[in-house]
Amino acid sequence: MTVEAILFYVFGILAVVSALGMVLNIRNTVASAMSLVVTMVSLGAIYLLLEAYLVAVIQIMVYGGAIVVLFLFVVMLLNLSTDEFPPGKQRVAKLAVVIVGVAILAQVLVALGQAPLLVAQPEAVPEGFGGYRQLGLSLYTDYVLLVEMVSLLLLAAIVGALILAKRKID
Amino acid sequence: MIPVPDLNLLVLLPIALVAIGSMVILMGEILLSRADTVLGREVTESFIGTVLAATAIFFLALTLYTSVVSFAAGGVQVFNPDHPMYQLDPFSSLVTAVVALSALLSCALSIAYLSELRINHGEYYALIMLSASGMMLMVAAVDLIAVFLGLELMSIPIYVLAGFDRRKLRSNESALKYFLIGSFASAILLYGMALLYGVSGGTSFDAIRAGFEVENPIAVVGLGLVVVGFAFKISMVPFHQWTPDVYEGAPSAVTAFMSVTVKVAAFAALIRLLAMAFGPLDESLENIFWVLSVLTIVVGNVMAIIQENVKRMLAYSSIAHSGYLMIGLVTGTIQGYSAMLFYLIAYTFMNLGAFGVVVALANRGNDCERIASFAGLARTRPGLSALMVLFMLSLAGIPGTAGFMGKFQIFMAAVNSGEIWLLIIGVLMSVVSVYYYLRIPVLMYMKEPGDESHRMEISSGEGAVLVFCALAVIALGLFPNSVPTLLFGDLDVLNWTRRSVEMFFGG
């Protein structure tokens, strides 16, 4: 086993375990959010192993940083206490979630076992693929329309948030 | 050296006009609210709202015009030929025109209603236009990323619009419920798209078509998840539970907008995706659509019978109409898709009209939602009652109306592809639907008025929208093919919706 393979398994197991930790930690929402950070950072490490440096950095900055901070803000603002989750109902819900989750996992694993993920053979990656230059070029040439549409989406989100939170209504 | 792509900017005209319009409204609101008088008129909140609504209607009318011109011209135009994302063709320009028209009618319908509630803000119209631009991207997309972005841009403004009347608990509940369900639907859709990308190595419809194999279980799971994601938006049973709550809680004018445009855009995008990336559909997939279609028709119609609230009744009726529309997906033929497109256009006018009457009756924000409150309405509001009768007859599918023509074409498509059982179930459930649709006319004309306080005057905007919808329902019902011929002069449009979907079959 090469060093890369060992590292892959270490980070892969870490990602799965902390993802489980996030889901199972219903009572302590902050611990749940912190487990999510571990998952995101492990995924970032796996991207590094694949030599996708830019994706790894974005993964850690956006998911590990911005999004989890947002989650923590929401957790703090809502200030949920454990009393607000009545234990009786939770057990049934947990059971249902576990059954559905395991069923979907089994289905995906069976499907993966039966079929190779990529039918078409991938072409060799050109020099500088996945770097800042390549990404910038393709964003502003091939995907220029979608970049503009994302800016409209952000505009809609900002206007929406302002209306729901700040607009004076008499 | 950076390669400059050869962009065809004019293709973007419809979508750009809507986007620019929304920004003009947002800027206009700020400028107007700082002025004391404009052209000698005192600036009040409702004056600002009306001016901005007129701006929205102006830009939407321009969009409507450009997309109709593009439909009449025919042909396929791509924004970026090297990397197609947005493609204006007969199908997408027709659907773009329908979206622009229904957004325009919704704006005109909203002015008086919002003024009564004292929430006639410019942001309302800006959000409607942003949502419309998302729909236009979604229905003209030839790439999964563009489809997803369009869907999000369509949905996010509508989540906000559903909660636009912030003082009402119901409106807040509606927005939150729609947002949560919609986010899950987006996540499911995105998961499906990721799997499709995994099996085909590309996100464009062409790449997926090349890489998709029915034998590959991952590909089938991906397609299934994508269909489920859309199923939430078109309220297909069993993904429909949010519909009645959201339709009931949202302000009636918003419900009118979202009940028609979201359905038109999501169904059109689904047709386009299935036909361009997967068509002709495998028989096993058609069987799944068969089951879902029957479930949707039966659940929608049966649940509509027991409703006591007119908005909930119309919500279940819209679920039932989704079921009829899905018959077209089961057939997967040129006739089926053409019938779906016609049905969607007919549905736009009749449903907008029905919700328009509810909007026009709302008194100071007290929506006359109980079906019982329609009792004796023909005495006090004869004009509105007559229009409501027409829309109910059309929704029920009585001959002479657009609703009948739509159902007739859908059922003909089912017969021609040998789906006799779908025809039988569809016709039987249409008979059931007559019961709950005709309850309102019966109450209006044959019962004594109760002590409900309806609004007694109708604004010119509401009146114009209702009369337009009524004329469209009658025109499409009596002369389904000559309406576009009249519009486009001597253009050879014998069957205009058929002309739009021919491109999916190499036409």
Side-chain angles (χ1 to χ4, degrees):
Chain A
M1 218 192 256
T2 59
V3 181
E4 272 125 23
I6 294 169
L7 283 174
F8 170 76
Y9 282 113
V10 168
F11 286 116
I13 291 168
L14 201 58
V16 173
V17 169
S18 53
L20 283 175
M22 184 200 88
V23 181
L24 297 178
N25 250 324
I26 309 179
R27 283 178 181 276
N28 189 345
T29 33
V30 176
S32 178
M34 294 325 273
S35 304
L36 186 62
V37 178
V38 179
T39 311
M40 295 304 178
V41 173
S42 314
L43 287 181
I46 292 176
Y47 293 144
L48 274 183
L49 289 175
L50 293 170
E51 295 185 25
Y53 304 114
L54 183 63
V55 183
V57 170
I58 290 175
Q59 166 80 18
I60 290 171
M61 276 191 342
V62 175
Y63 288 93
I67 289 183
V68 175
V69 169
L70 187 73
F71 284 177
L72 286 175
F73 258 109
V74 174
V75 168
M76 285 194 297
L77 281 177
L78 294 180
N79 199 15
L80 291 173
S81 63
T82 43
D83 312 336
E84 289 173 49
F85 301 101
K89 273 186 180 173
Q90 211 185 41
R91 202 163 295 157
V92 181
K94 251 187 197 169
L95 194 71
V97 168
V98 168
I99 290 173
V100 173
V102 169
I104 293 176
L105 182 68
Q107 208 171 1
V108 172
L109 285 180
V110 168
L112 271 176
Q114 282 175 359
L117 199 54
L118 207 63
V119 174
Q121 272 302 311
E123 295 162 25
V125 170
E127 185 71 22
F129 179 81
Y132 300 92
R133 187 183 155 79
Q134 280 287 327
L135 185 81
L137 274 180
S138 83
L139 273 183
Y140 286 96
T141 54
D142 296 344
Y143 293 91
V144 64
L145 173 66
L146 298 187
V147 171
E148 293 303 319
M149 295 313 284
V150 168
S151 64
L152 277 187
L153 184 65
L154 289 176
L155 176 69
I158 293 168
V159 172
L162 282 176
I163 289 171
L164 291 183
K166 285 213 74 167
R167 192 71 156 100
K168 283 201 191 75
I169 287 182
D170 45 17
Chain B
M1 188 59 205
I2 297 171
V4 179
D6 186 19
L7 298 180
N8 192 354
L9 285 171
L10 273 183
V11 179
L12 283 185
L13 206 54
I15 213 166
L17 280 169
V18 181
I20 292 169
S22 71
M23 288 173 227
V24 168
I25 291 171
L26 288 173
M27 292 303 291
E29 165 129 55
I30 297 171
L31 294 176
L32 279 178
S33 60
R34 294 199 171 169
D36 294 327
T37 52
V38 173
L39 298 173
R41 289 195 61 164
E42 196 192 341
V43 174
T44 58
E45 202 153 274
S46 112
F47 171 73
I48 298 177
T50 311
V51 168
L52 296 176
T55 317
I57 289 171
F58 171 72
F59 276 99
L60 285 166
L62 282 182
T63 312
L64 177 64
Y65 175 74
T66 49
S67 48
V68 165
V69 165
S70 150
F71 174 66
V76 175
Q77 287 175 297
V78 189
F79 171 62
N80 181 355
D82 302 332
H83 210 92
M85 289 278 162
Y86 180 88
Q87 176 181 313
L88 216 50
D89 45 45
F91 182 82
S92 54
S93 39
L94 181 61
V95 181
T96 302
V98 175
V99 167
L101 180 60
S102 37
L104 191 160
L105 294 175
S106 304
C107 286
L109 193 64
S110 307
I111 304 170
Y113 180 83
L114 294 177
S115 298
E116 287 256 317
L117 288 174
R118 283 183 294 155
I119 48 171
N120 195 6
H121 304 316
E123 293 96 337
Y124 178 91
Y125 306 101
L127 284 174
I128 284 204
M129 295 180 84
L130 284 170
S131 176
S133 71
M135 294 170 191
M136 290 169 189
L137 174 67
M138 184 167 79
V139 299
V142 283
D143 192 292
L144 286 183
I145 304 177
V147 171
F148 180 72
L149 258 181
L151 188 98
E152 286 296 290
L153 185 50
M154 165 183 93
S155 306
I156 286 179
I158 293 182
Y159 302 147
V160 179
L161 287 174
F164 204 76
D165 192 4
R166 250 171 44 200
R167 293 156 300 184
K168 278 212 185 87
L169 205 57
R170 274 283 176 71
S171 186
N172 285 315
E173 181 199 336
S174 158
L176 197 59
K177 207 169 248 176
Y178 195 28
F179 170 64
L180 287 176
I181 301 265
S183 312
F184 278 109
S186 297
I188 292 172
L189 181 76
L190 206 53
Y191 188 19
M193 287 179 172
L195 290 180
L196 287 177
Y197 174 61
V199 292
S200 59
T203 53
S204 71
F205 287 0
D206 290 340
I208 288 165
R209 194 183 192 92
F212 182 81
E213 286 165 3
V214 184
E215 290 79 33
N216 186 340
I218 290 279
V220 176
V221 171
L223 173 59
L225 290 174
V226 168
V227 170
V228 168
F230 275 104
F232 277 104
K233 293 287 168 205
I234 57 180
S235 36
M236 184 194 290
V237 174
F239 309 104
H240 67 289
Q241 280 98 339
W242 60 272
T243 317
D245 290 347
V246 173
Y247 279 22
E248 185 192 356
S252 297
V254 176
T255 315
F257 173 70
M258 68 192 233
S259 70
V260 294
T261 46
V262 172
K263 191 154 293 194
V264 170
F267 256 115
L270 189 58
I271 293 175
R272 198 174 167 88
L273 180 68
L274 290 178
M276 290 178 83
F278 302 100
L281 279 187
D282 192 72
E283 200 176 326
S284 56
L285 295 169
E286 282 181 4
N287 290 338
I288 296 173
F289 280 132
W290 195 97
V291 175
L292 290 176
S293 164
V294 170
L295 263 180
T296 312
I297 294 176
V298 172
V299 170
N301 279 311
V302 170
M303 291 298 289
I305 295 175
I306 56 171
Q307 300 306 317
E308 288 303 326
N309 178 310
V310 67
K311 280 160 88 180
R312 289 186 84 85
M313 187 273 271
L314 285 172
Y316 279 109
S317 117
S318 89
I319 296 171
H321 284 287
S322 285
Y324 298 127
L325 280 158
M326 283 178 59
I327 294 179
L329 287 183
V330 178
T331 66
T333 56
I334 187 166
Q335 197 187 8
Y337 287 151
S338 157
M340 282 176 81
L341 206 48
F342 184 87
Y343 199 118
L344 282 170
I345 294 166
Y347 173 83
T348 299
F349 293 120
M350 58 199 189
N351 217 44
L352 206 56
F355 273 113
V357 173
V358 177
V359 168
L361 286 174
N363 194 2
R364 295 213 172 280
N366 289 323
D367 291 7
C368 292
E369 290 181 3
R370 288 187 309 120
I371 290 182
S373 73
F374 280 83
L377 199 66
R379 302 249 179 92
T380 48
R381 309 297 309 272
L384 271 183
S385 304
L387 288 172
M388 190 66 171
V389 172
L390 174 67
F391 296 132
M392 288 294 134
L393 289 179
S394 181
L395 283 166
I398 305 294
T401 59
F404 169 76
M405 261 313 154
K407 271 188 188 152
F408 178 73
Q409 294 191 21
I410 284 267
F411 290 152
M412 280 307 288
V415 170
N416 285 345
S417 27
E419 304 284 356
I420 301 299
W421 277 105
L422 270 183
L423 169 77
I424 294 172
I425 294 168
V427 171
L428 277 180
M429 292 320 281
S430 293
V431 175
V432 170
S433 76
V434 173
Y435 169 76
Y436 62 82
Y437 286 129
L438 289 195
R439 239 176 99 193
I440 292 180
V442 166
L443 275 172
M444 287 194 301
Y445 282 90
M446 296 174 191
K447 286 276 172 6
E448 291 299 315
D451 52 355
E452 295 289 333
S453 58
H454 300 293
R455 183 142 55 95
M456 290 313 288
E457 70 285 347
I458 187 166
S459 77
S460 51
E462 289 163 345
V465 170
L466 289 177
V467 169
F468 183 87
C469 287
L471 289 178
V473 163
I474 294 171
L476 287 175
L478 294 179
F479 322 104
N481 280 327
S482 43
V483 175
T485 318
L486 279 176
L487 282 177
F488 304 134
D490 55 351
L491 193 78
D492 177 33
V493 218
L494 257 184
N495 196 336
W496 48 301
T497 50
R498 195 187 185 91
R499 179 171 166 265
S500 294
V501 294
E502 257 168 7
M503 51 172 282
F504 297 143
F505 298 85

